[in-house]
Amino acid sequence: MGPMVARALPTARQRLLRQRQHGAILQQQDRRELERSGWRTTLDFRENNVRGRDGRLLQVEEIWHAEAERDPNGARTRGVDFIHATAESVDEVWAKLRRQAELADVRRGDEPAAQAS
């Protein structure tokens, strides 16, 4: 048996780099894109237990609920944009929420023309 060499603990920078390579930081591109464009986002998880008449657990339904809000132009006249989506997976709920955000941008773009007429 050779001599045992004590390994140094990783520094904070090394831990951060490892997390970026393997952690959730690289996932959920839709959520990151929403936040970059000014949306504040939240994510909730719900678990619905489906039981039979005799009380036995038949199924567990996982539901993810995401919400986002944005205050365009300080909300002086138009108010705050609020969108939400639900889905059975995290990636799916962020994709749905991003589509809702794109629709909100389209609707917000139509408002000045509607107000002028």
Side-chain angles (χ1 to χ4, degrees):
M1 233 168 53
M4 294 187 71
V5 177
R7 292 181 56 186
L9 293 174
T11 65
R13 178 166 163 52
Q14 289 169 331
R15 284 191 304 268
L16 182 61
L17 288 173
R18 186 176 313 120
Q19 288 173 352
R20 286 190 177 161
Q21 292 171 353
H22 302 292
I25 296 172
L26 295 178
Q27 297 173 358
Q28 302 175 359
Q29 290 98 0
D30 290 318
R31 182 178 195 174
R32 288 190 325 195
E33 189 61 36
L34 284 166
E35 291 176 348
R36 283 189 192 123
S37 61
W39 292 91
R40 293 181 297 271
T41 63
T42 60
L43 178 67
D44 291 321
F45 173 76
R46 297 184 197 137
E47 194 173 84
N48 297 331
N49 295 324
V50 179
R51 297 189 178 274
R53 291 181 181 243
D54 59 355
R56 286 186 305 127
L57 182 63
L58 300 175
Q59 183 179 359
V60 177
E61 296 174 349
E62 297 178 351
I63 304 294
W64 292 91
H65 183 81
E67 297 177 348
E69 65 181 12
R70 173 178 67 177
D71 188 5
N73 304 324
R76 291 185 194 107
T77 58
R78 298 184 188 176
V80 175
D81 291 334
F82 176 81
I83 55 175
H84 64 92
T86 57
E88 294 179 359
S89 74
V90 175
D91 292 332
E92 185 181 352
V93 78
W94 288 125
K96 283 183 176 183
L97 197 67
R98 187 171 179 186
R99 286 191 297 271
Q100 290 290 328
E102 290 167 357
L103 289 173
D105 290 340
V106 169
R107 280 187 234 116
R108 185 138 319 257
D110 290 343
E111 283 184 6
Q115 291 174 354
S117 54

